[in-house]
């Protein structure tokens, strides 16, 4: 209908349909696997004749290793401090407290939210401030001074610029963006799926740039 000249997919069941359509119409198609462990749709896409690209080696899918594209505004640091200053103004954060950015992804993460609820008073008393994206489907946490909670963060670039530490899931794009910003992280991989989230952060954890804590062990005390 749209007379596409090429198809580009990154996985998931929607991509499988697109790969099949491209194959049936003789349209060239390209497959990018961003996770450390390739999913079924992308494996199928390459087997159908699509050109494969991988974020890292040994994903289980043939294709060149090209990394993950990251928005330019998330790279290069912030030597002037302008990005951080804009982030503090945008979110109403103090400039004399280290900032912990906590996010469970676009939908939020109930287990992370529970751990934050049980630890937030201690974190604030220890001199931190917290910027927390708790997810639109979850109940908003109680308001506290130096604790900024939002259902969703629209400007993640600003949030990363103001953060000193990130606590988050370890989706492929999240790990790539946090790493590109040069931020230390505590990754709490999603405990479902084929285990790709735990593998996504394996390299940065091994290099000492982050720590991984299993979801079941991510308690308020931890």
């Amino acid at each position: 209908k749209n007379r596409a000249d090429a198809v580009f997919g990154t996985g998931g069941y929607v991509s499988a349909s697109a790969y099949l359509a491209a194959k049936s119409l003789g349209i060239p198609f390209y497959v990018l696997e961003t996770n450390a462990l390739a999913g079924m749709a992308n494996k199928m896409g390459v087997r159908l004749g699509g050109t494969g690209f991988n974020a890292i080696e040994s994903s289980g899918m043939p294709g060149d290793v090209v990394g993950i594209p990251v928005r330019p505004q998330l790279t290069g640091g912030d030597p002037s401090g302008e990005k951080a200053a804009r982030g503090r103004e945008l979110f109403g954060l103090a400039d004399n407290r280290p900032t912990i950015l906590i996010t469970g992804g676009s939908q939020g993460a109930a287990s992370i939210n529970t751990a934050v609820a049980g630890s937030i008073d201690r974190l604030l008393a220890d001199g931190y401030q917290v910027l927390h994206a708790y997810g639109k489907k979850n109940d908003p946490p109680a308001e506290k001074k130096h604790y900024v909670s939002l259902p969703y963060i629209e400007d993640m670039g600003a949030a990363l610029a103001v953060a000193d530490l990130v606590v988050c899931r370890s989706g492929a794009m999240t790990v790539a963006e946090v790493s590109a910003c040069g931020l230390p992280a505590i990754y709490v991989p999603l405990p479902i799926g084929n285990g790709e989230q735990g593998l996504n952060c394996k390299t940065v954890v091994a290099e000492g740039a982050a720590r991984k804590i299993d979801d079941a062990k991510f308690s308020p005390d931890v």
Side-chain angles (χ1 to χ4, degrees):
K1 179 180 177 180
N2 292 292
R3 299 187 180 278
D5 296 304
V7 171
F8 177 81
T10 59
Y13 68 91
V14 174
S15 292
S17 302
Y19 300 150
L20 287 165
K23 176 69 173 180
S24 68
L25 295 171
I27 300 171
F29 57 105
Y30 305 87
V31 178
L32 173 64
E33 181 54 65
T34 58
N35 285 299
L37 190 62
M40 292 176 63
N42 277 352
K43 287 182 177 179
M44 182 196 74
V46 173
R47 283 180 175 270
L48 288 173
T51 301
F53 300 108
N54 285 293
I56 66 172
E57 295 180 355
S58 305
S59 77
M61 186 189 84
D64 292 341
V65 178
V66 298
I68 296 178
V70 175
R71 292 172 287 168
Q73 60 265 39
L74 296 182
T75 61
D78 186 23
S80 67
E82 292 181 3
K83 294 179 182 178
R86 183 174 68 86
R88 285 192 292 269
E89 181 179 0
L90 177 64
F91 299 114
L93 296 166
D95 59 5
N96 60 347
R97 281 179 170 244
T99 304
I100 303 173
L101 169 63
I102 303 173
T103 174
S106 59
Q107 299 298 315
S111 59
I112 293 178
N113 292 350
T114 299
V116 173
S119 61
I120 187 64
D121 289 336
R122 283 176 281 176
L123 292 171
L124 299 179
D126 285 341
Y128 297 99
Q129 61 187 345
V130 174
L131 175 59
H132 180 197
Y134 59 85
K136 295 178 180 179
K137 66 178 182 179
N138 300 310
D139 294 331
E143 294 185 5
K144 299 176 184 289
K145 188 177 181 181
H146 300 304
Y147 177 38
V148 179
S149 58
L150 301 168
Y152 183 78
I153 295 176
E154 297 286 350
D155 192 341
M156 187 54 71
L160 290 169
V162 78
D164 296 288
L165 171 72
V166 184
V167 180
C168 55
R169 293 298 196 200
S170 51
M173 286 302 304
T174 297
V175 175
E177 292 183 348
V178 170
S179 300
C181 291
L183 287 169
I186 296 173
Y187 291 115
V188 186
L190 187 69
I192 60 175
N194 61 0
E196 74 276 6
Q197 284 213 356
L199 294 173
N200 288 339
C201 63
K202 181 179 179 180
T203 300
V204 289
V205 169
E207 293 292 337
R211 292 188 180 182
K212 179 174 78 82
I213 300 176
D214 291 340
D215 186 84
K217 297 179 180 179
F218 194 64
S219 67
D221 287 335
V222 170

